[in-house]
Amino acid sequence: METQKIGVRELVEFTMRTGDLNARANSNNTALEGAIIHRRLQKQRGANYQKEYYLERELTLADRPFLIHGRADGVILDTDNPLIEEIKTSDAPFKELSENTLTLYWAQAQIYAYILMTDEDLDAVTLQLTYFQRPTEIVTQTTHHYTQQEATAFFEQVTSEYESWLLLRSELRTSRNASIATLPFPFDHYRAGQRELAVSVYKTIRLKKQLFIEAPTGTGKTISTVFPCIKAMGENEIQRLFYLTAKQSTRHVAEEAMTLLAQNGLVLRSVTLTAKDTITFPEEADLPPEENPYMVGYYDRLKPALKDVLENETQLTRAVIETYARRHQVDPFEFSLDLSLFCDVIICDYNYLFDPQVYLQRFFAIDHDDDNFFLVDEAHNLVSRARSMYSAELTVAPLTDLISLAKETFETHPPLVSAFRKLRKAFYQYSGPVMESGKADSIFNDSVSGFNKAVTELTEKISDWLAQQQPQTPFTQAVLDYYFACLSYLKIADFYDETFRTKISVGPNQDREITFKQLCLDPSAFLHDSLLKGRGAVLFSATFSPLSYYQRMLGGATDSLCYQLPSPFPPKHQAILLANYIETTYRKREANLAETITSIKTLISAKPGNYLIFLPSYHYLQTVYEAFHLAYPDVDTIIQSSDMDEAKRAAFLAAFQPNPQEPVVGFAILGGIFSEGIDLTGDRLIGVGIVGVGLPGISEENDLLRDYFDSQGEPGFDYAYQLPGLNHVFQAAGRLIRTVADQGVVLLMDRRFSERRYTRYFPPHWQYFRLLATPEELAPTLDQFWQLNQKGSPHENETH
């Protein structure tokens, strides 16, 4: 059995933490600052002082081998008075530290002392706690004589407490594995390709690989990827499955898969992590931590709350977490994170693994853990999301507001205001060349180190100032918001390399419209590092063509695997028609408007039913919609607007009812909320029209992507424009055929679709596309398709 490692700090914090959940009590200084302070203090020690002294102790807990390990900040051995030093840095004065904080500080030193005394056969050591208050640089030292008898008793107390939780987890895993052993596939048969998909996922886990899968809509991707992972979990190949998604809707799909497996006998704990802003109780929203009843005493109530949930629930959805959080009066977001330590399946957003600023440190602070495995759903979305995760910007407007606000409030703090002005000066200084050029913005290959230094200096001043502020006011909140923006900017600056560009933009109002943006053009190396934090990964999507592009963009290893499933549905059920007579380039849209709306009318006239027409921009959408409505006012139409809330979205989809007697036509945005993630099965949708090839708008940032990939010897235009646009097309077309009984037509209205540079990227189930050279060919082609596809084929309840 593989030895499991646990850090001394993790051991201490889990077993001994009590009191409040109060982020404000934590230090605002970064890990880098803390390391610098540690090194400064360590250099002041004598020649016999050994810094960063590694200690470890093997033991058996809950019948499993564990390695307790960590680094003491300093050890002195070669004297008559051996010593262990623990160095801590924070912003609060030493006398204001809570009793529990001090207990945790001392506990780490006590664990180190036990291991050291056991290794060196020492009867006693001196424990020294050195506390550095960063804003004032006041150093407080306290010492304690500690015997081996005391150390042994304390170590046994801590490990015994930890073992009780390990035993609970072991019991949960034992019952989990027993249920998995007899767990059947939750349907009476596999769809075409579904068994092969499940087998490929299982092999990926065994081989410790990464697998990229294109599985068309209707393949049953979720259950076909989750089921083999659960089977591998029952064989102890993995212990924890992360199901990572881009959207709330796909998280619900994963939850439904867990429900389905539970109905077939599976017993395991799954948790859905919901964004903090979403799951926080309304009554918590405006309360500071020290007044929040869900945070005050949080750790005193946590363990009973954990046991209550784990002993009574298996699927820990948002609703379940909120119920128990209220029952035990604990913050629901932090509660969900603490629960995740005991769960086998964790359903969450991409950012919990991939985002360098919000990833789950409790799981991913270490470089690799074979117990973890990743399923990345709708992974085509991760390309643009990852660029956003590794990009950051700062603008001068909030800084100008803070300077004005400081003048008007009693909180004015001269050194802070001086720091605000210094950074504002840096905005003007380093954007000077852009102003002089008369351009709106300029691009630079390198980071602006002088500007970054000014941002760093401001964060230090703010950190010092915040440590002295109590209670929180609107002004301190505004300062805190900008402080976090600065920290985010500096965090991304740490990653800056040849894949980044700096964009400096200047608007007419220079008091407010100066922005520094760090753009990550190619985050694939960062994604690769994230994927290596687990045993392996499966990244899948219905629209992953070409697979080589996504493998490259999403950080696939050189030995990663690719697998492309055929569509499970008969090709004859879907017609792919290319209207080669329509041109929708910007200059030719108006001239082709009549042909466009006539073709839409021909499409919907061939058979009564529901249709969706997708266009690439709101302006073009409005133009085509108005022209169509003017020409055919009797047709029932509905249009997507840019400000649709949940109720309006639901009303839009509700217009597509089964078995309509007259055509219903929805006009929507390509790449928008209705072009993926919605299910209009059967007669709720029988036709999709797509106007244009979906190219993203020409922009400086997209041109940067093009030029960067060109410089790498890769097809820059394809990567920056063509393939992202085509993915939107594939997603929109994918709304049509959702079950084995569905039939329908996809009409692609743009001459460019017929060109080799587009058709070479078509997925396999589009290979039977038909090219229409004239408008006159459309009506008979549609008639022929519908005559060959008369309804009457047996409907099948296909939910997997």
Side-chain angles (χ1 to χ4, degrees), residues 543 670-672 675-676 690 693-694 696 723-733:
T543 56
L670 192 62
S675 65
E676 63 177 295
I690 300 172
V693 294
L723 290 173
L726 259 182
N727 191 274
H728 290 324
V729 171
F730 296 152
Q731 281 289 324

Side-chain angles (χ1 to χ4, degrees), residues 173-234:
R173 286 181 175 176
T174 298
S175 63
R176 176 198 75 186
N177 290 356
S179 72
I180 294 173
T182 58
L183 181 69
F185 187 70
F187 296 96
D188 57 6
H189 70 282
Y190 285 92
R191 285 183 184 171
Q194 203 168 24
R195 182 187 294 274
E196 292 81 359
L197 173 55
V199 169
S200 68
V201 172
Y202 183 80
K203 288 182 177 178
T204 300
I205 297 171
R206 295 295 301 271
L207 295 172
K208 301 185 179 182
K209 297 285 189 180
Q210 297 162 13
L211 173 64
F212 291 77
I213 297 175
E214 181 175 53
T217 298
T219 308
K221 297 182 292 295
T222 302
I223 199 65
S224 301
T225 53
V226 169
F227 181 72
C229 291
I230 299 300
K231 281 294 186 181
M233 191 179 290

Side-chain angles (χ1 to χ4, degrees), residues 375-640:
L375 292 180
V376 186
D377 194 4
E378 301 291 352
H380 63 276
N381 288 301
L382 186 55
V383 177
S384 59
R385 277 284 299 273
R387 289 197 188 104
S388 297
M389 290 174 187
Y390 282 90
S391 298
E393 68 179 31
L394 269 183
T395 184
V396 75
L399 200 56
T400 300
D401 293 339
L402 284 171
I403 293 171
S404 298
L405 191 58
K407 293 177 181 178
E408 301 168 3
T409 62
F410 67 92
E411 292 94 348
T412 302
H413 187 66
L416 183 64
V417 176
S418 176
F420 288 158
R421 288 174 174 158
K422 191 172 181 180
L423 180 58
R424 185 171 66 171
K425 182 179 179 181
F427 268 102
Y428 293 132
Q429 177 184 349
Y430 293 103
S431 63
V434 183
M435 297 180 188
E436 293 171 5
S437 71
K439 298 179 180 178
D441 49 59
S442 288
I443 305 296
F444 303 88
N445 287 353
D446 299 322
S447 63
V448 186
S449 57
F451 179 78
N452 293 354
K453 182 179 179 182
V455 177
T456 300
E457 291 173 356
L458 177 60
T459 61
E460 291 173 351
K461 293 292 185 183
I462 293 178
S463 181
D464 295 347
W465 182 83
L466 285 171
Q468 305 168 27
Q469 305 308 305
Q470 198 79 5
Q472 185 170 312
T473 67
F475 179 68
T476 59
Q477 184 59 52
V479 173
L480 195 61
D481 290 343
Y482 200 67
Y483 174 65
F484 288 144
C486 290
L487 289 180
S488 176
Y489 190 87
L490 293 174
K491 177 70 174 179
I492 296 304
D494 289 340
F495 293 97
Y496 203 104
D497 60 16
E498 68 279 358
T499 67
F500 283 77
R501 299 291 182 269
T502 299
K503 180 180 180 181
I504 303 177
S505 304
V506 179
N509 183 355
Q510 294 177 5
D511 281 343
R512 308 190 64 78
E513 298 176 358
I514 303 176
T515 300
F516 282 65
K517 184 173 185 178
Q518 298 173 120
L519 285 162
C520 182
L521 304 178
D522 181 10
S524 57
F526 305 128
L527 298 179
H528 175 75
D529 290 343
S530 295
L531 292 173
L532 290 180
K533 291 183 180 296
R535 180 187 180 96
V538 174
L539 299 90
F540 56 99
S541 172
T543 56
F544 241 13
S545 292
L547 271 171
S548 58
Y549 162 74
Y550 289 99
Q551 188 179 19
R552 159 68 178 85
M553 299 302 292
L554 297 177
T558 54
D559 62 347
S560 60
L561 310 172
C562 290
Y563 188 43
Q564 194 169 39
L565 272 73
S567 172
F569 306 129
K572 69 176 185 177
H573 282 192
Q574 177 174 258
I576 307 292
L577 307 180
L578 278 57
N580 204 38
Y581 52 84
I582 292 177
E583 296 188 62
T584 69
T585 56
Y586 188 77
R587 293 181 179 179
K588 297 186 177 181
R589 285 179 180 177
E590 186 174 350
N592 283 259
L593 184 58
E595 291 286 16
T596 300
I597 63 171
T598 301
S599 295
I600 295 172
K601 181 61 166 64
T602 304
L603 172 68
I604 68 171
S605 298
K607 181 179 176 64
N610 298 313
Y611 295 83
L612 272 172
I613 309 299
F614 292 98
L615 295 105
S617 70
Y618 278 104
H619 181 268
Y620 196 17
L621 174 71
Q622 195 67 36
T623 299
V624 172
Y625 172 77
E626 290 176 357
F628 184 87
H629 187 65
L630 182 64
Y632 310 106
D634 295 334
V635 176
D636 189 2
T637 59
I638 186 170
I639 184 172
Q640 177 183 347

Side-chain angles (χ1 to χ4, degrees), residues 293-313:
Y294 297 95
M295 293 186 176
V296 175
Y298 173 87
Y299 289 107
D300 299 327
R301 299 185 295 274
L302 174 61
K303 290 176 183 177
L306 289 174
K307 286 188 175 180
D308 191 10
V309 177
L310 295 172
E311 291 173 355
N312 293 289
E313 304 287 347

